[in-house]
Amino acid sequence: TMTEQGRDLPKAYVPADFEGAIYERWLEADVFAPDGAGARPDPSLPPFVIIQPPPNITGALHLGHALTFTLEDVMIRHARMQGHETLWLPGLDHASIAAQYVLDKIIAAEGETRESLGRERYLERMWRFINETREVMLGQERRLGASADWGRLRFTMDEGSARAVRVSFKQLYDDGLAYRAEGLINWCPGCRTSVSDLEVIPTPETGTLWSIRYHLLDDVTGEPSADDTITVATTRPETILGDTAVAVHPEDDRYRALVGRKVRIPFVERDVPIIADEVVDRAFGTGAVKITPAHDRDDHATGVGHGLPMISVLADDATITEAGDGYAGLDRYEARKRILADLKSRGDLAGEKPHEMLIGRCQRSNDVIEPRLKTQWFVKTGPLAEAALSATRSGETRIVPARFEKVWENWLTNIHDWNVSRQLWWGHRIPAWYCPDGHATVSAEIDGPERCEVCGRGPGELTQDPDIFDTWYSSGLWPFSTLGWPDRTEDFRRYYPGSVMETGYDIIFFWVARMMMTGIHLTDAAPFHTVYLHGIVKDPYGQRMSKTKGNVVDPLEAIDTAGADALRFGLLNGTSPGNDQKFSSERLEDGRNFANKLWNATRFVLGARPASIADAAEAVLREPAAAALGPTERWIRSRAAATVMAVDRAYEDHNYGEASRVLYDAIWAGFCDWGIELAKVRLADTSVDEAEREATWWTLVDALDTYLRLLHPIMPFVTEALWGALPHAADDPELLIVARWPKAGEVAPELEQQVEAVLELIRSVRNARAAAGVAASSRLPLALAVPASLEPVVRALAPAIERLARAAPLTFTADGAALAVASGSAARALSVVAGQIEAAILLGEGDAGASGAADAGERARLEKELGQAETALASSRARLADATFLAKAPPHIVDGARAREAELADRVEKLRASLA
RNA sequence: GGGCGAUUGGCUCAGUGGUUAGAGCACGCGGUUCACAUCCGCGGGGUCACUGGUUCGAAUCCAGUAUCGCCCACCA
């Protein structure tokens, strides 16, 4: 009853009081797993599988994770409500280099190092570390509301992944797509490992370009000439020690005669040839380039092309090797200083100047990367990339938003082979064994091969490669390694390939491309149908969030202050696919306020229930009787139907920001501000019969039910809590999470237009009163002139007009002339022109404060309205006067313009009359 | 060097050919109406970065320019 309002729900919206309990109910009901006891899939629909990037196990989650989990959860909840059997398989990534980087810092604080612990104890320490972080991270995901199938939780270092790594690598090797070779790799001296091209960050820096004179050998004596020199330019003088040639452009007249002669490399006293090669840019530096094939990518290519010796002068710790002769053992930068000093004292330092350059730094440690020659394992990417490209070109896999297809094409077209060896400990050991003769045998068996496949030597003589795989190698197997591959398990058959792979665009190459490449080769199918890429969450100033900048927002803190629903809404609302977003506390507040609004709207509806319904939650949801529906009820129903359609469209487009915006507007500005306010009138009107009042209430319940369902994927906790307090249909489940997605009812555009006309009248009356300074509390008589087409609706909604426009009594007159008469009967009147409806607010003495000022305000308002109408009318007429417009524009546009013109002409006329 | 994105009210962002470009926040005025002050009502505020083009019609499509951001790329 009306006196027991809010009985069923706490008065205040306090998310912390119920979010945890709701999550527990979902777990108890076992609805997350596709085969869970509480899942209610429709067997006629195909399974829906979401693929998530397993977060690095290194620590706490940040807002980017919160966004990714929110999007995944929105998609999976939507699909679940649609009736799809859903699988969201959660997991964690061992993140080898990132994890080692973090652990190294932790053990450093304990006075230990990687070396002091040794491989075995280091790995034990790592397992201890991640066993702590794992629970913290999973707890965070649950707080956010992630409805993942925790029973299928996987880790990229578990035995399933390990086996997939071994088997896949063996297969790639057998298929000629994995090979071991000496190649130029990116070496990080800080991490003591090679890293992939993607992990090298080109960083702009001002370096120095030194010019150095190399002495040519005298043709006759074979000794370096004192003054016959060629000057080369370099930013890394320490690499002189590894020079094996000097290159010039073949058509460079300055040097043409020198090609074929030799120079002596200083300090190492090596005689090397001057060669001609078109890679040399004549305009840069001196036009002569020193060639260090073991330490520069260009030079390496040149060295291969010309058959030059490749001399490694840098060791693992970036000190100079024995090949560096007198500089051996020095750090690379110390050696650089000494070499420069020595060149200067020899008189061979020809010049130096500041030089803007890009220097490669390690994504992890920020150390300067050194290109080095190493024997490593590589994955041959050419054929794999080709297959990945055909999958996207054929549409087997679709990228959302589509603009990323171009980046995708470009990267996969110019891809280099993938160096997968890492000189780290935390990760999957490369399943390659070597015999004393150096033959390699790749095996998928955990204990390695029986014997060397080349020379047949036995197991006692084989040793496994000490290196591990690049983390992304195992991540790349994720979509199928988690489903039991290489076995054709039931899960694999049922859930592979996945439906949507959701991740940030920043790992499209690291992860998405690798999954596609290995996935297609190993399983003969692209691992997912849709790639959905989200943008980066940045701080309020547009800066990327990072621990070092100290601008990270902790999702847990946000949840603690505003609730998980608020955070989820804040992360989605006003965003679009693939675009970065700035996150600020205002977004969080928007979400919290919205949830609060919904909470209170539901409290109102519950409290307004008819006396015949003792307990709303126990009542059976009923369609209101059609005959008992008034314009308000029909309008509410039509709006709800239109919202279902708009939200469906947004979901189809993967436009979740749009879905949230549509719902925010429909629920707040539509349902609450107008629907409930209009409904209140009839609910409180005792002159209306009981059946009609009940129909109004059921209309509110029905609409609210629809909105809660539509909003559930985005704000699951508050919608679940509220839905539980409302009546349900007989075939509804206990929990909203497994309830069915609503189907759109009928939209009634004509009825909507008529009701909108009344709303416009109410707004206009409010506006006129405010502009004239009428006291908000005073009720004033309102005279109305309503066209016949609108009269039934206006009369039906008269009580609402009285209440919402604070107008009473209402009098209806035949036309504008009669209205003028009615106005004349009052001390003064405020004219209102709202669409086709004219009205006069009749003022008594003293109703509008100082009447002079009020008159001026009133006049100004009407003049402004008239001005706007006249401008619009003029442009409308100009358009209709244009013969080409009439001839070429489609008929419905022309008709619309005509109607518009008539409407405006009418409005102008009425406003002029009011001002006269 | 190549590519992508952004540029819309003070701020954050929607809006991909058709009335007078929208929202939230912020701002101003008013509000103790029995869901909500985490609220309600009313209002002010934008020549849609610039130039040109296509079109009956452009914030929207095309070309170019500028600024900012990002990605890719082997000038030592």
Side-chain angles (χ1 to χ4, degrees):
Chain A
T1 64
M2 297 294 282
T3 53
E4 285 173 312
Q5 274 175 22
R7 195 193 66 172
D8 305 287
L9 285 172
K11 187 167 162 48
Y13 165 65
V14 183
D17 287 353
F18 63 87
E19 286 187 348
I22 296 275
Y23 200 86
E24 285 304 315
R25 290 195 62 193
W26 291 331
L27 287 175
E28 278 162 28
D30 194 10
V31 292
F32 294 168
D35 41 10
R40 309 167 63 231
D42 175 347
S44 69
L45 295 175
F48 178 90
V49 179
I50 193 124
I51 293 161
Q52 68 151 121
N56 288 355
I57 194 148
T58 49
L61 300 179
H62 53 68
L63 270 191
H65 292 116
L67 174 63
T68 215
F69 293 132
T70 296
L71 283 163
E72 287 148 19
D73 198 44
V74 167
M75 291 184 211
I76 207 88
R77 282 175 188 270
H78 176 240
R80 191 184 288 124
M81 290 178 78
Q82 285 183 313
H84 292 279
E85 179 182 338
T86 54
L87 175 63
W88 172 3
L89 193 151
L92 293 160
D93 195 291
H94 68 282
S96 74
I97 190 169
Q100 285 204 201
Y101 187 72
V102 172
L103 187 64
D104 285 358
K105 286 197 165 174
I106 291 172
I107 61 173
E110 298 165 355
E112 301 280 359
T113 65
R114 236 187 261 181
E115 291 72 22
S116 74
L117 286 178
R119 190 161 187 156
E120 201 172 319
R121 280 173 62 210
Y122 184 85
L123 290 178
E124 279 168 19
R125 184 71 186 80
M126 181 66 87
W127 278 105
R128 261 205 344 255
F129 169 61
I130 64 158
N131 284 336
E132 290 161 21
T133 55
R134 177 192 293 116
E135 289 314 311
V136 174
M137 296 179 68
L138 296 179
Q140 286 174 310
E141 291 183 40
R142 294 185 181 116
R143 283 290 303 278
L144 195 66
S147 61
D149 179 4
W150 301 109
R152 281 181 170 83
L153 179 76
R154 290 292 301 269
F155 180 42
T156 55
M157 276 293 278
D158 62 26
E159 182 43 37
S161 275
R163 180 157 163 257
V165 165
R166 293 192 303 267
V167 172
S168 65
F169 193 67
K170 167 81 171 147
Q171 189 175 333
L172 289 175
Y173 180 72
D174 290 346
D175 294 341
L177 293 170
Y179 63 92
R180 186 165 183 252
E182 182 177 66
L184 200 69
I185 50 87
N186 308 299
W187 183 259
C188 174
C191 303
R192 300 285 171 90
T193 181
S194 55
V195 296
S196 74
D197 293 350
L198 287 169
E199 290 158 288
V200 180
I201 311 301
T203 315
E205 270 169 46
T206 306
T208 306
L209 186 64
W210 286 278
S211 303
I212 294 158
R213 273 188 287 270
Y214 283 179
H215 293 258
L216 287 117
L217 297 190
D218 187 287
D219 284 342
V220 180
T221 66
E223 285 303 309
S225 154
D227 46 12
D228 202 2
T229 62
I230 182 167
T231 305
V232 298
T234 185
T235 56
R236 294 187 297 158
E238 66 278 14
T239 62
I240 287 173
L241 305 170
D243 281 358
T244 54
V246 169
V248 298
H249 194 276
E251 279 151 37
D252 191 334
D253 292 335
R254 294 173 293 178
Y255 300 118
R256 203 190 289 270
L258 300 182
V259 175
R261 289 187 61 183
K262 289 194 163 185
V263 297
R264 176 157 298 176
I265 302 302
F267 316 124
V268 289
E269 310 301 330
R270 179 165 53 239
D271 297 337
V272 307
I274 295 174
I275 59 175
D277 196 298
E278 296 191 342
V279 294
V280 179
D281 177 355
R282 278 173 281 182
F284 187 87
T286 60
V289 188
K290 58 188 273 315
I291 300 297
T292 321
H295 295 288
D296 182 277
R297 196 188 280 274
D298 283 342
D299 293 3
H300 182 73
T302 309
V304 170
H306 292 264
L308 299 172
M310 304 188 182
I311 300 171
S312 290
V313 296
L314 282 171
D316 285 1
D317 58 356
T319 58
I320 304 298
T321 62
E322 289 306 316
D325 219 4
Y327 302 93
L330 292 177
D331 174 77
R332 53 185 162 168
Y333 298 120
E334 181 58 27
R336 178 182 296 181
K337 265 164 66 182
R338 298 268 283 270
I339 285 170
L340 285 166
D342 293 345
L343 283 168
K344 197 166 185 184
S345 61
R346 283 182 176 218
D348 287 335
L349 189 59
E352 63 174 81
K353 60 176 185 182
H355 182 56
E356 298 302 323
M357 53 197 245
L358 291 176
I359 197 155
R361 286 183 175 272
C362 174
Q363 185 190 42
R364 198 57 51 189
S365 69
N366 204 38
D367 280 292
V368 173
I369 296 291
E370 296 290 347
R372 286 178 74 198
L373 277 180
K374 277 248 173 199
T375 299
Q376 306 260 289
W377 284 94
F378 292 83
V379 169
K380 193 173 170 186
T381 47
L384 299 175
E386 199 47 55
L389 282 170
S390 25
T392 49
R393 284 174 188 157
S394 71
E396 183 185 358
T397 297
R398 189 170 70 107
I399 300 179
V400 179
R403 66 181 137 89
F404 284 102
E405 276 165 23
K406 213 163 177 175
V407 190
W408 175 260
E409 284 272 339
N410 183 49
W411 192 76
L412 284 171
T413 308
N414 301 305
I415 194 168
H416 297 294
D417 282 356
W418 177 16
N419 165 218
V420 293
S421 295
R422 295 292 176 274
Q423 293 65 51
L424 298 167
W425 291 345
W426 175 236
H428 295 288
R429 280 283 281 275
I430 291 180
W433 281 260
Y434 310 111
C435 72
D437 288 339
H439 305 135
T441 304
V442 172
S443 168
E445 299 305 316
I446 190 162
D447 298 320
E450 285 295 311
R451 38 193 76 256
C452 173
E453 67 183 9
V454 179
C455 62
R457 293 220 210 189
E461 295 178 82
L462 304 180
T463 50
Q464 188 174 6
D465 194 313
D467 287 353
I468 60 162
F469 279 103
D470 181 358
T471 300
W472 296 102
Y473 183 84
S474 50
S475 314
L477 310 176
W478 183 257
F480 41 97
S481 70
T482 53
L483 295 174
W485 187 92
D487 295 335
R488 288 190 61 84
T489 61
E490 192 138 330
D491 271 7
F492 180 81
R493 278 199 296 263
R494 184 145 187 83
Y495 304 121
Y496 188 86
S499 313
V500 179
M501 197 288 311
E502 191 286 335
T503 192
Y505 68 72
D506 53 336
I507 56 172
I508 186 169
F509 306 136
F510 279 110
W511 191 49
V512 185
R514 269 88 180 252
M515 284 189 289
M516 284 285 278
M517 291 195 292
T518 52
I520 295 172
H521 184 75
L522 297 168
T523 72
D524 292 321
F528 26 75
H529 297 302
T530 299
V531 173
Y532 175 89
L533 299 169
H534 66 250
I536 309 296
V537 183
K538 299 184 168 175
D539 78 1
Y541 308 99
Q543 299 280 315
R544 237 185 136 112
M545 290 186 181
S546 76
K547 277 185 194 157
T548 47
K549 281 184 203 149
N551 60 351
V552 290
V553 173
D554 177 3
L556 277 192
E557 228 169 86
I559 292 172
D560 286 341
T561 54
D565 288 324
L567 176 59
R568 294 166 63 113
F569 182 85
L571 285 167
L572 290 186
N573 194 39
T575 63
S576 47
N579 284 345
D580 293 351
Q581 60 168 308
K582 294 177 194 169
F583 190 85
S584 59
S585 57
E586 283 83 21
R587 284 178 172 277
L588 203 59
E589 273 172 41
D590 286 349
R592 198 248 336 237
N593 294 351
F594 184 39
N596 177 66
K597 187 71 181 176
L598 196 61
W599 181 271
N600 282 295
T602 307
R603 280 182 59 235
F604 168 79
V605 172
L606 287 172
R609 66 181 175 275
S612 57
I613 296 172
D615 185 342
E618 292 302 312
V620 176
L621 184 66
R622 232 172 34 222
E623 284 271 307
L629 297 178
T632 294
E633 292 70 28
R634 290 162 64 205
W635 181 80
I636 290 170
R637 292 171 64 78
S638 180
R639 286 321 303 154
T643 306
V644 174
M645 292 194 272
V647 171
D648 279 343
R649 243 192 329 273
Y651 271 96
E652 273 165 35
D653 298 343
H654 291 283
N655 201 339
Y656 305 101
E658 169 75 2
S660 78
R661 197 167 40 249
V662 163
L663 284 165
Y664 183 93
D665 186 61
I667 291 171
W668 199 317
F671 183 68
C672 293
D673 287 351
W674 288 112
I676 288 182
E677 292 307 317
L678 291 168
K680 274 179 185 174
V681 179
R682 201 156 86 147
L683 287 171
D685 189 345
T686 44
S687 69
V688 173
D689 78 55
E690 182 81 21
E692 288 184 328
R693 274 185 286 146
E694 289 203 11
T696 300
W697 190 74
W698 284 111
T699 299
L700 291 178
V701 171
D702 190 39
L704 195 50
D705 176 84
T706 299
Y707 289 132
L708 289 173
R709 287 174 201 249
L710 291 176
L711 190 59
H712 179 260
I714 296 170
M715 305 179 91
F717 292 106
V718 68
T719 51
E720 184 74 81
L722 297 176
W723 194 76
L726 289 171
H728 301 143
D731 59 348
D732 273 332
E734 281 282 302
L735 292 168
L736 176 57
I737 187 172
V738 282
R740 284 293 179 252
W741 192 249
K743 288 190 169 40
E746 208 167 318
V747 178
E750 244 176 79
L751 176 273
E752 283 204 30
Q753 261 182 14
Q754 292 173 348
V755 174
E756 297 292 347
V758 175
L759 306 190
E760 179 58 30
L761 171 67
I762 293 168
R763 271 191 290 259
S764 300
V765 171
R766 285 169 171 174
N767 177 359
R769 289 172 53 118
V774 172
S777 56
S778 60
R779 285 181 165 266
L780 298 173
L782 186 69
L784 292 166
V786 183
S789 62
L790 290 175
E791 194 165 336
V793 170
V794 174
R795 282 193 184 271
L797 294 177
I801 296 168
E802 289 180 359
R803 173 168 168 148
L804 300 180
R806 303 205 62 76
L810 293 190
T811 52
F812 288 80
T813 64
D815 53 34
L819 191 67
V821 176
S823 316
S825 68
R828 286 189 302 126
L830 303 177
S831 295
V832 172
V833 180
Q836 293 175 270
I837 303 175
E838 273 188 283
I841 304 165
L842 311 182
L843 301 177
E845 298 295 338
D847 267 333
S851 66
D855 283 343
E858 158 77 350
R859 227 187 145 69
R861 187 194 102 233
L862 289 168
E863 274 167 2
K864 188 187 152 202
E865 286 179 9
L866 177 61
Q868 286 171 344
E870 280 173 334
T871 307
L873 179 61
S875 75
S876 199
R877 287 200 165 134
R879 217 144 68 105
L880 287 165
D882 184 348
T884 42
F885 170 71
L886 297 175
K888 295 201 170 182
H892 73 276
I893 296 294
V894 177
D895 290 347
R898 289 221 172 88
R900 174 85 187 135
E901 190 216 7
E903 209 179 294
L904 285 165
D906 181 57
R907 180 170 173 80
V908 165
E909 192 187 324
K910 285 173 172 159
L911 284 166
R912 283 204 181 118
S914 302
L915 276 161

